[in-house]
Amino acid sequence: MKQQLCNGLWLSLSVVMTIAQPVEADTIQSTPVDKNTFLRQHNISYDSSLLSLTPTTEPVGTAASSLQKGGLTAEIMAQNNVPPTDNRNIVVPTVPTPATPGTAAPTAPEVRPPAQTPNYLNPSPNPLQFPTRPEEVRIQGTQPITFQQALELAQRNNRQLQVARLNLERSRAALREAQAALLPNASLNAGLNRSQSAQPNQGFPEQEAGASTVFNGTAQLSYDIYTSGERSSRIRAAEEQIRLNELQLEQTAQQLRLDVANDYYNLQAADELVRINQSAVTNAQASLRDAQALEQAGVGTRFDVLRSEVQLANATQELTNALSQQQNSRRQLAARLSLAQSVSLAAAEPVQIAGLWNLPLEDSIVLAFRNRAELQQQLAQRNISEAQRRIALSQLGPRVSVSTNYNVLDVFDDGSGLADGYSLGANVSLNLYDGGAARARARQEEANIAIAETNFADTRNQVRFEVEEAYNTLQSNLANIQTASVALEQAREALRLARLRFQAGVGTQTEVIDAENDLTNAEGNRVTAILDYNRALARLQRAISSGQPR
C-alpha cells in the first residue's frame, strides 16, 4: 500500500511540473483573428499530431484587385491546404470486426501514387456488354486518381454525355434533310415487259402468237418554286434544334462536372472519415492502456477500464461503418465515370481548398445570366415554336411547282424503231378550306411561344437563386474553416492535458473520453467545412457555367 501511494504521489508531481512549465498551454488564445493571419499560421496536417506549419506552394487562383469581406488571396488558400498523409488512401479494405482490448485497429494496404490515367480504366467499347460470370465483375484493383483525371474520364466515358453528343448528330442530320428541299428532285424509271395473248389449242403444233417485248423508260425532274414559307421555316426550325442540342450538350457537360466534383468530394470525405475513426480507435486504445496501467498500479478502478473498453468498441464500430461508406463512395464515382467492370477508384488528392472566388455577388449573377445554357435553351425553344407556327400557316398559302419528264418506248420485233417524248408543266395549288386545322396548329405554337417566354423568366429567377445560395454558402463555409481549425487545435491540446491529468490521478476517465470525442468531432468538422466549401465552389461554378482551374 505504501508503494502504491508513492507511485501515485510521483505521478502527481510529474503532472504538476508538466502543466506548470507553460502556463499558456492550458489557456489557448481564443480571440478572433483576421482570416489572413489565421490561415497563414494554421496549416493542419491530419496525422493526429501537432499542427504542421509547412505551406503548400501550388497557386490555385488569381489575385483580385479588390476582394470583398475578407481579402482572400491565393496565398491564404495555399497556407490552409492540407498536405497529403501516408494513410490517406485505403485499397479495398476488409470490414473489421469489433476490436477487443489490446488488439490493433483494422487497416488496409496503401495505394501507389497516380501517374497518367491508364487505359484499362476505360470501359468496353461494346455498350451492349452483359457480364454473365462472377469473375467479370469482381474488383481486381483500386486506382487512385486526381480530380482532373476524374473529369477527363467523365468527358470520355460518361454515358449521358455520349447520348447528348448523339442527339446533336441526329439534329445535324435532320438539318441536312430540311436543306434537301432547296434542290430539285430527279427520278429515273425503266421497265422491260414481255407479254403473250392466250390462243386456243386446235391440235396443231403450238405456235407463239401475239407475243411482244416492250421497253419503257422515264426520267423526271421536279422542283417546288414557292411553298408559302414552309421550306425556309423547316430549315430554320432544324437550325434552332441544332442550337438547342448544342446547349443541351453544354448543360450536360456542366452538370457532369458538378456531379463528378460532388462524387469526388464525397469520396474524400469518406476517406477522411476512415482516417478520423482510425485515429479515434488509436486514441481509445491508448486510453485503455492508461486505464489498465492505473488499475494495475492500484490507483485506477475497474470501472475506468470498462469505460475505456466500451469507448474502443464504439470507435471500432464507427470505423466499420466508415469503411463501408468509403466503398460505396468509390463505386458511386466509378459508376459516374463508366469505368471498366473490374476496377475501383480512390482519391489521390488530399482534402484542401479547391480555389477562390474573387467576383462579388452582383457580378456573379450577371455573369450567370450571360453564360447559362438553360436561358439560351428557352430562347431556342421559342424560335423553334415560331418556325413551327409559320409552317402551320404555310398550309393556307399557294404552292407553285414545275416539272419535266422525258420517256422512251421500244417494242421489240415490231419493225419500228425507238420512240421518245417529253413533257413540261407547272402546277399551282391552293388549299381553300381545311376546317380550321392549320390555324389551330398555329395557335398551339403561339401557346408554346408563351410557355417558352414564361419558362425563361422562371429559369432566370432560378439561376439567380442558385448563384446567391452557392455564394452565401461559400462565404459561410470559409468562416467555418477558420472556426473549425481553432477548435481542432484546442481539442488536441485538451486531450493532451486530459491524459496527463488522468495519468497523474487528478483527472477522471470521463474527461479523457470526452476529450477524445471532442477531438474526433473537431477533426470531422474541419474536414466537413473544407469539403462543404469545395462543394459550394463547384455549385457556384456550375451556376455561372464557368469553371475555374483547380
Side-chain angles (χ1 to χ4, degrees):
M1 184 67 182
K2 182 178 181 180
Q3 182 64 29
Q4 294 175 355
L5 293 176
C6 291
N7 292 338
L9 180 60
W10 181 82
L11 290 173
S12 301
L13 292 176
S14 300
V15 171
V16 170
M17 294 177 63
T18 302
I19 299 177
Q21 287 178 358
V23 179
E24 295 80 8
D26 200 16
T27 58
I28 299 177
Q29 181 60 253
S30 60
T31 303
V33 296
D34 180 71
K35 293 180 181 178
N36 297 4
T37 304
F38 173 79
L39 295 181
R40 275 196 298 267
Q41 294 177 350
H42 296 80
N43 180 32
I44 309 300
S45 82
Y46 289 116
D47 56 355
S48 299
S49 59
L50 296 179
L51 298 176
S52 172
L53 298 179
T54 305
T56 58
T57 58
E58 179 182 359
V60 180
T62 56
S65 57
S66 61
L67 302 180
Q68 303 290 329
K69 299 180 181 181
L72 297 178
T73 62
E75 178 185 0
I76 301 174
M77 187 218 61
Q79 294 287 344
N80 200 38
N81 286 343
V82 181
T85 58
D86 294 336
N87 59 349
R88 184 160 306 279
N89 293 318
I90 301 177
V91 181
V92 194
T94 57
V95 177
T97 57
T100 56
T103 60
T107 59
E110 298 178 357
V111 296
R112 61 183 183 276
Q116 290 184 344
T117 304
N119 292 329
Y120 64 79
L121 290 179
N122 296 324
S124 171
N126 179 19
L128 302 180
Q129 181 189 20
F130 189 79
T132 58
R133 294 175 299 177
E135 55 268 19
E136 294 178 346
V137 297
R138 184 176 295 115
I139 302 300
Q140 302 294 336
T142 300
Q143 174 66 37
I145 61 173
T146 63
F147 178 73
Q148 188 61 37
Q149 289 174 330
L151 291 178
E152 293 174 358
L153 287 170
Q155 291 288 333
R156 192 162 63 232
N157 299 332
N158 184 261
R159 302 302 182 184
Q160 294 180 353
L161 196 61
Q162 292 175 0
V163 171
R165 294 192 183 106
L166 292 174
N167 287 333
L168 179 58
E169 291 297 326
R170 181 178 61 183
S171 62
R172 287 172 178 169
L175 174 61
R176 289 192 291 269
E177 178 186 4
Q179 291 173 340
L182 296 173
L183 301 175
N185 293 328
S187 62
L188 179 63
N189 296 321
L192 182 64
N193 183 33
R194 178 174 175 82
S195 61
Q196 181 179 358
S197 305
Q199 297 292 337
N201 187 1
Q202 299 178 355
F204 297 99
E206 184 176 349
Q207 297 180 355
E208 190 175 285
S212 63
T213 302
V214 180
F215 171 77
N216 185 23
T218 303
Q220 184 174 1
L221 185 67
S222 63
Y223 181 68
D224 293 330
I225 297 178
Y226 181 70
T227 61
S228 296
E230 179 184 3
R231 178 169 49 199
S232 59
S233 297
R234 290 189 183 279
I235 294 176
R236 177 62 175 170
E239 291 173 344
E240 289 297 330
Q241 186 64 45
I242 289 180
R243 175 60 177 162
L244 183 65
N245 287 338
E246 288 175 344
L247 294 170
Q248 182 62 42
L249 178 60
E250 177 185 348
Q251 178 186 355
T252 304
Q254 292 290 339
Q255 184 63 37
L256 176 62
R257 188 184 191 281
L258 175 61
D259 293 339
V260 171
N262 287 331
D263 290 342
Y264 194 87
Y265 295 147
N266 290 340
L267 178 55
Q268 286 184 323
D271 291 342
E272 288 301 310
L273 185 61
V274 170
R275 184 197 55 78
I276 291 172
N277 282 283
Q278 285 178 335
S279 177
V281 170
T282 302
N283 292 334
Q285 290 174 341
S287 298
L288 178 59
R289 288 192 297 268
D290 292 341
Q292 290 173 340
L294 291 177
E295 183 188 19
Q296 293 174 358
V299 293
T301 63
R302 179 60 181 169
F303 176 74
D304 292 337
V305 175
L306 292 175
R307 288 289 306 273
S308 298
E309 291 177 348
V310 171
Q311 179 72 5
L312 177 58
N314 292 336
T316 305
Q317 183 177 359
E318 293 295 330
L319 177 58
T320 303
N321 296 334
L323 289 170
S324 176
Q325 182 178 347
Q326 183 189 53
Q327 293 303 311
N328 293 335
S329 299
R330 288 179 174 179
R331 296 313 303 162
Q332 173 63 42
L333 181 59
R336 183 82 62 186
L337 304 184
S338 299
L339 297 185
Q341 296 288 329
S342 59
V343 179
S344 186
L345 295 177
E349 293 181 341
V351 175
Q352 59 186 9
I353 295 180
L356 297 175
W357 192 258
N358 298 325
L359 291 178
L361 177 59
E362 293 77 10
D363 292 345
S364 301
I365 294 174
V366 174
L367 187 60
F369 289 158
R370 189 163 58 242
N371 292 345
R372 283 294 288 267
E374 289 85 346
L375 294 173
Q376 300 299 323
Q377 279 181 311
Q378 298 302 326
L379 297 179
Q381 187 61 55
R382 182 187 184 279
N383 294 336
I384 291 175
S385 298
E386 177 63 27
Q388 294 293 339
R389 186 186 71 86
R390 294 179 180 178
I391 292 174
L393 294 177
S394 68
Q395 305 302 315
L396 301 177
R399 294 171 176 272
V400 180
S401 62
V402 295
S403 63
T404 179
N405 65 72
Y406 175 77
N407 66 303
V408 295
L409 178 65
D410 185 16
V411 179
F412 295 165
D413 300 330
D414 61 350
S416 62
L418 183 68
D420 62 342
Y422 69 92
S423 67
L424 296 173
N427 184 40
V428 178
S429 63
L430 178 63
N431 190 0
L432 296 179
Y433 182 71
D434 63 351
R439 295 191 181 279
R441 289 194 297 269
R443 284 193 293 270
Q444 293 176 31
E445 298 304 329
E446 289 174 357
N448 290 335
I449 292 174
I451 291 174
E453 293 174 351
T454 304
N455 288 338
F456 180 89
D458 181 66
T459 304
R460 181 191 58 213
N461 296 336
Q462 184 64 29
V463 166
R464 171 164 184 161
F465 172 73
E466 291 176 2
V467 174
E468 292 175 334
E469 181 184 32
Y471 188 90
N472 295 332
T473 304
L474 189 74
Q475 300 301 320
S476 63
N477 285 322
L478 185 60
N480 289 340
I481 293 175
Q482 178 179 352
T483 303
S485 299
V486 174
L488 179 59
E489 181 182 0
Q490 293 173 338
R492 285 174 173 165
E493 182 65 14
L495 178 59
R496 185 183 70 86
L497 296 177
R499 283 178 177 167
L500 290 176
R501 288 167 53 85
F502 180 68
Q503 292 171 358
V506 296
T508 63
Q509 181 67 17
T510 302
E511 294 177 351
V512 176
I513 293 175
D514 291 341
E516 290 174 351
N517 293 333
D518 291 341
L519 177 59
T520 301
N521 293 333
E523 287 183 330
N525 293 338
R526 177 64 161 72
V527 171
T528 300
I530 294 178
L531 291 178
D532 285 347
Y533 174 90
N534 291 344
R535 293 187 183 99
L537 180 62
R539 290 198 303 272
L540 185 56
Q541 292 171 349
R542 169 68 184 94
I544 69 167
S545 295
S546 177
Q548 290 181 344
R550 297 180 82 252

